[in-house]
Structure formats: structure tokens, C-alpha cells
């Protein structure tokens, strides 16, 4: 058995009303039993006058000084009488509670300790606690279910002794609160079993959802909390025990937060602060003018913002990096497959090479993160490691050199028109000396250069050393355009037997012409 205490904060005094007449009557009856307090001990004014009249005329001739003392005597008698009455009332309240005293909502004005004890015992005997749950469901725990009994103690008499009887009159006009502790015992195991079998406890438990920032398509707003059905067993048990020991008859589980409550509500300042911080990022809008505008604005940025259980906002920089990788893979053209149509109308696919756009993803990721954090609104090109002539399908633009290996012919196209063309001899197609296909660019131009082959291990010297007048390389591995006075003819199938080491051999005059027309950076497209 467990002994519990109740602090009844509702033991107090309220303004007196007509219901207290019975108490005052009872007080009057008590006073009438005091010495000199009955009606027979008082001489009426009429009888006193009769006696005075029988004393003779001589007594009426007292001097005026003697007559002047009587009002004071009368006043003193009145005051004395009132004092006796006041003290008599005070004596009454030595064994009775003051006016306007309530215990557990019941009026005990002028009542005794025994009256309070009897009332509390009756309360315990008939006690029932209704547990109000969600969805209009309720359960009842009765005193008999848990063997609830009242334990007599001195608390009521102690509360009576704590009264200031001499100041009883103040209880008529002012409120006085008194805490009364009442002790009960009940079967702890039986109560725990009743709690475990409450419908709210045995039902399916759902977690609450706290209020949180939610993107509505324009900004982050506070989404309302949602209450679940998951019971906070510790709180529920404590509240039920408290209610029982206080003889309270109805426990609302939601009002007393006996369910696991949402960590935040729509009124929580932390949630609004998180929304405000997240919205500060949404002010940014960065536009990249590619072949079509690519805009990084709130629609993207909102997905890069998160919050934790403490409503601390995080800007996901890793998500920005991932987006930039996708951006680069879409707009990087170096090495990708492109389509070209030759001046003869032939369409070829060309892939590989070094020419094309390459976004500097690391640098531009940092730039974009800073722009978003600063709420910047701007249009700009991304940072590039390498650029090309245009963002179109043919990123080399309209001015370029084209080599058709199958046709053994080349063209120099300027602004979409053929400015120069010639037959050529490309590399010997043996797997080692082939001219590489792909999109490249002229690295530099040089006059009177000596072309050297790989070092021959047997001699320690280059496998060949060939002087040329005009050297225009497009790879760092030694592939380029140059004059080839040793070739007796160009074009046709000569490359299959007298092909170069990978370079594009040109007639001297054509090499000289091309040398004077191009510069470093001119795109070069080589295809079959």
C-alpha cells in the first residue's frame, strides 16, 4: 500500500453572503451561554427609570457634575459588551473553521474538524476518476478498483489551529487561503494494472508531428503541429496518482499533456526563426546564359535547405556540388560526340579530342554558394577551365578547320564559307600512326620547325627528324598540319601506303596559305 498526500489549494475564504446566517446564529447561541450573556441579566431602560423614581426627590437634586459622568459609563458598558461578544465569537472559532472556508470545493464555514473528516471519508468511499482520452473515449478508475482508503491525520486540526481566531472578523471581508494535506492509501499494483489497460494505452500509438518550416512554392511558412496518440506513460501515471490523491474526478489527457506532445507548436518562436532564416536564402537568383537560360532560384534553393530537431537551419553545400556536377556534365562539350556536315554534304559523327567547354565546377560551386548566402540576384557566365566558340550543337562555331580522313581532304571554313581547301595525306592507318579523330584546336604556329619522332632505344636518337617550314600542331603528342615536300601526291589512297606518322601532310603552298590565315585556338575537327 502506498501513502499519498494532497495539497488542497482550494481551502480558502470568500466574501460572506446570506448562507452564513446559520453560522452567525450558531455563534449567537454560543455567546448566550457566556456569563452575563443571557437576556435576563440586562435591566431594561423602563425598569431602571421606575427604580430611579422611587428613590426620592433628593436624589434628583444631584449636581450637574455628577450627571455628566453617566454618558461615559454607558459608553464603557457598550464597549465592554461588544468586547465580550467579539471574544465570544473568537472563542467559537477556536473549534470551528472561519467564515468562507472551503475544502475541496465544499463550504465548511463554522464547521468542525470532525465535519471535515467525515466529508473526506465519504468522498473516498464514493470516489471515481474519469480519464478523458482522444476521440471522445474515456475510462473510469474507481476507488474500489484500487482499494482506496482515507488515512486519518492531524492536518485538519492543524489547519484549524493555524487560524487567527482573534482576527475572525477579517474573514468576512477578505480572502484567506489555507493548504490542507489529506492522506490516502491505495493498492499501487492494482492502479498500475488499471493504467496499463486504459484504451489510450492499448490502442495503436502514433507519434506527433511538430510544427515545422514548409515550402509552399514561394517561401517557407510554419506548418501546424499534429498531435499523435502515443502516450507519455510517465506523465500519465504521475497525473493519475496526483488526481486520485486530490480527489479530482476528471482527468483530460490532452489538457494535462499525457500524450507525447509535439516538440514545437505553430506559436514556437524557434520555428518562425527557422522559416525566416531559410527565406533569407531564397532571395538569391543566379542566371547562367547557356544555349538557354539556367536559373538557380528559390525553386532549387529550397531543396538545399534543411532543419534539425532543434530548428537549426543547414544549407546543404554538398547538394550544390552535386547540382554543379550535373550542370557541368550537361554543358561540358570537350570529348563529347558531335555531328558535322562537310561542305560536300556528308554528315559525320565526331567524338573525342580536347576542344570544347569545361566548367570549373569547384570554383563555380564556391561562387554559387556565396551568391546564395548573400541573397545575390545576377546573370553571369559560370567559371570555366576551358571555353569554346559557342554553346550551340557545333560548339566550334562557324570558323574552323575540317579534315575528312576518308576523303583525304581538308577545308578551312571562315564564317560558314570555305576560305581554303586541299587534298592531304594523313597518318598511316596501322594502329600506331593513325591521325587521331576528334575536335581539337591549334595550339600554336611555328615557322621552320624540326619534327622529331620518338627516341629509338637502339640508337638513343629520335626515330626521325624532319624539318618543315610551317608547323601548326593541334595535340601535344605531335599531331599537326605542316608542309610535306617529300610527298609526290596528295589525296586518294596514298595515306594507306605512304601515310604520315599521324600529322596532316599538306602541299607547301597550301600549308603556307593556311599558316597565314589561322592562329592559336582555331578549332580543328578530324573525322572519318
Amino acid at each position: 500500500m502506498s501513502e499519498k498526500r494532497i495539497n488542497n489549494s482550494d481551502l480558502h475564504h470568500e466574501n460572506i453572503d446570506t448562507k452564513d446566517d446559520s453560522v452567525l446564529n450558531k455563534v449567537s447561541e454560543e455567546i448566550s451561554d457566556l456569563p452575563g450573556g443571557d437576556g435576563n441579566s440586562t435591566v431594561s431602560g423602563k425598569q431602571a427609570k421606575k427604580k430611579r423614581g422611587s428613590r426620592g426627590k433628593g436624589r434628583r437634586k444631584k449636581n450637574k457634575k455628577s450627571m455628566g459622568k453617566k454618558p461615559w459609563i454607558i459608553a464603557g458598558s457598550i464597549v465592554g459588551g461588544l468586547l465580550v461578544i467579539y471574544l465570544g465569537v473568537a472563542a467559537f472559532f477556536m473549534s470551528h473553521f472561519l467564515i468562507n472556508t472551503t475544502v475541496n470545493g465544499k463550504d465548511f464555514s463554522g464547521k468542525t474538524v470532525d465535519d471535515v473528516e467525515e466529508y473526506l471519508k465519504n468522498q473516498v468511499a464514493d470516489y471515481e476518476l474519469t480519464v478523458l482520452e482522444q476521440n471522445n473515449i474515456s475510462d473510469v478508475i474507481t476507488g474500489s478498483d484500487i482499494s482506496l482508503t482515507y488515512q486519518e491525520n492531524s492536518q485538519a486540526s492543524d489547519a484549524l489551529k493555524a487560524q487567527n481566531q482573534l482576527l475572525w472578523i477579517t474573514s468576512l471581508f477578505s480572502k484567506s487561503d489555507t493548504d490542507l494535506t489529506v492522506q490516502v492509501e491505495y493498492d499501487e499494483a492494482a492502479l498500475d494494472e488499471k493504467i496499463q489497460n486504459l484504451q489510450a494505452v492499448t490502442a495503436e500509438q502514433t507519434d506527433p508531428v511538430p510544427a515545422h518550416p514548409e515550402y509552399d512554392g514561394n517561401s517557407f511558412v510554419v506548418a501546424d503541429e499534429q498531435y499523435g496518440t502515443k502516450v507519455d506513460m510517465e506523465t500519465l501515471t504521475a497525473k493519475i496518482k496526483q488526481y486520485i490523491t486530490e480527489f479530482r474526478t476528471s482527468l483530460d489527457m490532452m489538457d494535462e499533456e499525457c500524450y507525447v506532445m509535439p516538440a514545437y507548436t505553430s506559436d514556437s518562436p524557434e520555428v518562425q526563426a527557422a522559416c525566416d532564416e531559410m527565406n533569407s536564402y531564397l532571395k538569391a537568383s543566379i542566371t547562367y546564359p547557356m544555349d538557354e537560360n539556367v536559373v538557380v532560384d528559390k525553386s532549387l534553393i529550397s531543396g538545399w535547405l534543411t532543419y534539425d530537431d532543434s530548428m537549426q537551419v543547414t544549407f546543404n553545400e554538398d547538394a550544390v556540388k552535386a547540382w554543379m556536377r550535373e550542370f557541368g556534365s550537361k554543358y561540358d562539350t570537350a570529348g563529347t560526340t558531335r555531328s558535322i556536315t562537310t561542305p560536300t554534304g556528308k554528315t559525320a559523327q565526331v567524338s573525342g579530342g580536347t576542344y570544347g567547354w569545361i566548367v570549373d565546377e569547384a570554383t563555380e560551386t564556391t561562387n554559387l554558394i556565396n551568391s546564395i548566402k548573400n541573397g545575390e540576384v545576377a546573370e553571369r557566365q559560370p567559371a570555366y577551365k576551358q571555353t569554346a566558340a559557342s554553346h550551340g550543337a557545333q560548339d566550334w562555331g562557324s570558323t574552323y578547320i575540317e579534315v575528312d580522313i576518308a576523303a583525304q581532304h581538308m577545308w578551312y571554313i571562315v564564317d560558314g564559307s570555305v576560305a581554303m581547301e586541299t587534298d592531304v595525306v594523313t597518318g598511316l592507318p596501322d594502329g600506331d600512326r593513325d591521325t587521331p579523330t576528334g575536335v581539337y584546336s591549334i595550339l600554336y604556329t611555328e615557322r621552320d620547325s624540326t619534327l622529331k619522332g620518338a627516341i629509338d632505344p637502339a640508337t638513343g636518337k629520335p626515330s626521325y627528324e624532319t624539318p618543315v617550314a610551317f608547323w601548326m600542331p593541334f595535340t601535344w603528342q605531335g599531331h599537326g598540319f605542316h608542309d610535306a615536300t617529300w610527298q609526290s601526291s596528295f589525296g586518294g589512297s596514298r595515306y594507306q601506303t605512304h601515310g604520315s606518322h599521324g600529322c596532316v601532310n599538306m602541299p607547301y603552298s597550301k600549308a603556307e596559305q593556311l599558316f597565314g590565315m589561322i592562329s592559336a585556338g582555331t578549332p580543328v575537327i578530324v573525322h572519318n
Side-chain angles (χ1 to χ4, degrees):
M1 299 292 281
S2 175
E3 182 178 280
K4 304 295 177 182
R5 293 180 176 273
I6 311 164
N7 289 328
N8 295 290
S9 59
D10 54 351
L11 177 62
H12 59 277
H13 307 295
E14 300 178 9
N15 293 334
I16 190 167
D17 55 22
T18 55
K19 70 181 180 181
D20 299 319
D21 290 346
S22 61
V23 177
L24 295 178
N25 291 335
K26 189 173 182 180
V27 171
S28 298
E29 293 174 2
E30 293 280 345
I31 294 172
S32 69
D33 293 334
L34 296 174
D38 61 352
N40 295 330
S41 63
T42 304
V43 180
S44 70
K46 199 169 192 183
Q47 291 171 327
K49 186 174 180 182
K50 216 177 219 186
K51 291 179 180 180
R52 285 196 299 271
S54 64
R55 293 176 184 172
K57 295 179 180 180
R59 300 265 320 254
R60 294 194 202 102
K61 293 181 179 180
K62 288 183 178 180
N63 58 51
K64 294 181 180 180
K65 185 175 181 181
S66 176
M67 290 292 291
K69 294 180 180 180
K70 290 182 179 180
W72 291 103
I73 295 173
I74 295 171
S77 298
I78 294 173
V79 171
L82 291 175
L83 182 59
V84 169
I85 294 172
Y86 189 90
L87 293 176
V89 174
F92 172 80
F93 285 120
M94 291 180 67
S95 59
H96 297 75
F97 285 101
L98 293 174
I99 303 300
N100 298 322
T101 298
T102 60
V103 177
N104 291 350
K106 181 175 176 60
D107 180 32
F108 279 93
S109 300
K111 300 293 185 179
T112 66
V113 170
D114 289 341
D115 293 330
V116 174
E117 295 278 359
E118 184 63 25
Y119 167 71
L120 294 176
K121 289 177 182 178
N122 291 335
Q123 257 198 328
V124 171
D126 300 328
Y127 178 73
E128 288 186 350
L129 173 64
T130 300
V131 181
L132 303 175
E133 304 159 30
Q134 293 191 63
N135 303 318
N136 296 319
I137 297 173
S138 64
D139 285 295
V140 176
I141 300 175
T142 66
S144 59
D145 289 336
I146 58 175
S147 303
L148 186 68
T149 57
Y150 174 73
Q151 300 298 303
E152 293 187 4
N153 57 79
S154 64
Q155 296 301 315
S157 60
D158 290 344
L160 181 66
K161 292 176 183 178
Q163 296 182 149
N164 192 336
Q165 292 86 359
L166 289 177
L167 296 180
W168 62 267
I169 198 168
T170 60
S171 68
L172 302 177
F173 311 106
S174 62
K175 181 179 178 180
S176 176
D177 296 325
T178 303
D179 290 333
L180 178 62
T181 301
V182 182
Q183 296 178 347
V184 293
E185 282 188 353
Y186 56 82
D187 187 331
E188 190 101 23
L191 178 59
D192 288 341
E193 183 179 356
K194 291 294 293 185
I195 293 173
Q196 291 298 327
N197 286 300
L198 293 175
Q199 296 178 74
V201 177
T202 59
E204 181 181 357
Q205 308 281 293
T206 58
D207 289 318
V209 178
H212 57 277
E214 186 173 88
Y215 184 64
D216 67 357
N218 182 60
S219 64
F220 282 96
V221 297
V222 177
D224 290 338
E225 68 279 8
Q226 297 178 24
Y227 293 91
T229 60
K230 188 173 184 179
V231 176
D232 182 339
M233 292 302 298
E234 183 177 350
T235 300
L236 175 62
T237 301
K239 286 295 181 181
I240 287 178
K241 290 180 179 181
Q242 175 189 340
Y243 271 52
I244 288 173
T245 54
E246 292 178 357
F247 301 136
R248 297 170 69 174
T249 58
S250 180
L251 167 63
D252 190 312
M253 288 181 60
M254 184 62 74
D255 289 347
E256 289 289 7
E257 299 186 355
C258 295
Y259 293 98
V260 176
M261 306 304 288
Y264 298 98
T265 68
S266 56
D267 296 326
S268 298
E270 296 90 343
V271 184
Q272 186 59 59
C275 287
D276 294 341
E277 183 177 353
M278 296 170 88
N279 286 330
S280 68
Y281 288 94
L282 301 188
K283 296 176 183 178
S285 179
I286 307 300
T287 301
Y288 295 111
M290 313 305 285
D291 49 354
E292 59 182 11
N293 284 345
V294 177
V295 181
V296 177
D297 59 9
K298 62 180 66 177
S299 61
L300 268 175
I301 299 170
S302 60
W304 299 338
L305 295 168
T306 58
Y307 56 89
D308 60 18
D309 292 341
S310 300
M311 287 298 145
Q312 298 300 306
V313 174
T314 298
F315 178 50
N316 190 346
E317 296 186 5
D318 288 338
V320 182
K321 293 177 183 177
W323 181 87
M324 190 59 68
R325 283 194 296 271
E326 292 181 6
F327 178 81
S329 66
K330 180 176 181 179
Y331 292 101
D332 287 352
T333 59
T336 61
T337 300
R338 290 93 132 184
S339 178
I340 187 171
T341 300
T342 69
T344 62
K346 171 185 173 180
T347 300
Q349 299 295 312
V350 58
S351 60
T354 57
Y355 182 88
W357 297 99
I358 301 177
V359 175
D360 187 342
E361 295 176 6
T363 298
E364 188 53 34
T365 295
T366 299
N367 294 342
L368 181 57
I369 288 172
N370 290 335
S371 294
I372 293 172
K373 288 182 176 180
N374 294 328
E376 182 181 350
V377 177
E379 178 178 311
R380 66 161 185 262
Q381 290 286 341
Y384 287 106
K385 289 182 177 179
Q386 182 176 293
T387 61
S390 75
H391 284 295
Q394 293 187 352
D395 59 349
W396 50 78
S398 59
T399 298
Y400 55 90
I401 301 169
E402 180 182 351
V403 178
D404 186 338
I405 293 176
Q408 288 292 289
H409 198 82
M410 69 160 287
W411 299 267
Y412 177 46
I413 311 297
V414 177
D415 295 331
S417 299
V418 177
M420 172 272 209
E421 63 178 305
T422 182
D423 286 337
V424 296
V425 174
T426 60
L428 184 69
D430 63 357
D432 293 326
R433 295 166 57 179
D434 302 77
T435 298
T437 59
V439 183
Y440 304 90
S441 62
I442 298 297
L443 300 176
Y444 59 90
T445 60
E446 183 178 81
R447 296 204 54 165
D448 301 323
S449 180
T450 298
L451 307 182
K452 298 180 181 181
I455 300 298
D456 184 346
T459 64
K461 295 181 179 181
S463 57
Y464 66 87
E465 293 186 64
T466 304
V468 296
F470 310 103
W471 174 231
M472 297 159 279
F474 57 82
T475 78
W476 293 109
Q477 289 75 38
H479 305 98
F481 299 92
H482 62 78
D483 55 292
T485 55
W486 59 88
Q487 294 284 8
S488 60
S489 63
F490 296 89
S493 61
R494 183 172 174 79
Y495 78 107
Q496 294 180 352
T497 56
H498 294 81
S500 70
H501 288 83
C503 289
V504 180
N505 291 176
M506 301 174 64
Y508 184 94
S509 61
K510 292 297 183 179
E512 182 179 25
Q513 183 182 5
L514 181 65
F515 189 89
M517 298 174 74
I518 67 171
S519 60
T522 301
V524 177
I525 299 93
V526 183
H527 61 83
N528 286 305

